[in-house]
Amino acid sequence: MQNVVTYHWSGGQTSTITYPVTTVVHAANQEIVTSTGTVTSGYGVGSVSERIAVHPSLSLLDCLGSAITQQTGLLTVTLL
């Protein structure tokens, strides 16, 4: 399943990026989600993009009694 995201840059430009490739790694109590895609419109059109999101890993036992609706963490987007 691909992910399509539009980013709004501080200078007023936008980039729409399609991420068809995503990998998830669990390491050191963190979940690291890496996506690779292409800028399909706007600033950097045609460029390759890498998006890395790092979130704390959640304990399955801690989550059994409640729903998780949001997580916070670090997100880095790079255009190559």
Side-chain angles (χ1 to χ4, degrees), residues 60-80:
L60 179 62
L61 295 177
D62 291 342
C63 297
L64 285 177
S66 63
I68 304 299
T69 59
Q70 180 177 332
Q71 271 189 295
T72 59
L74 179 64
L75 176 68
T76 303
V77 176
T78 304
L79 301 182
L80 308 170

Side-chain angles (χ1 to χ4, degrees), residues 14-18 37-49 78-79:
T14 62
S15 298
T16 299
I17 305 172
T18 302
T38 303
V39 181
T40 56
S41 69
Y43 175 76
V45 68
S47 298
V48 172
S49 176
T78 304
L79 301 182

Side-chain angles (χ1 to χ4, degrees), residues 4-6 8 15 18-19 26 32-33 39 46 48 53-55 63 73 76:
V4 179
V5 181
T6 299
H8 299 267
S15 298
T18 302
Y19 295 105
H26 297 275
I32 303 163
V33 182
V39 181
V48 172
V54 179
H55 306 281
C63 297
T76 303

Side-chain angles (χ1 to χ4, degrees), residues 27-39:
N29 293 322
Q30 295 182 331
E31 180 179 274
I32 303 163
V33 182
T34 303
S35 303
T36 303
T38 303
V39 181

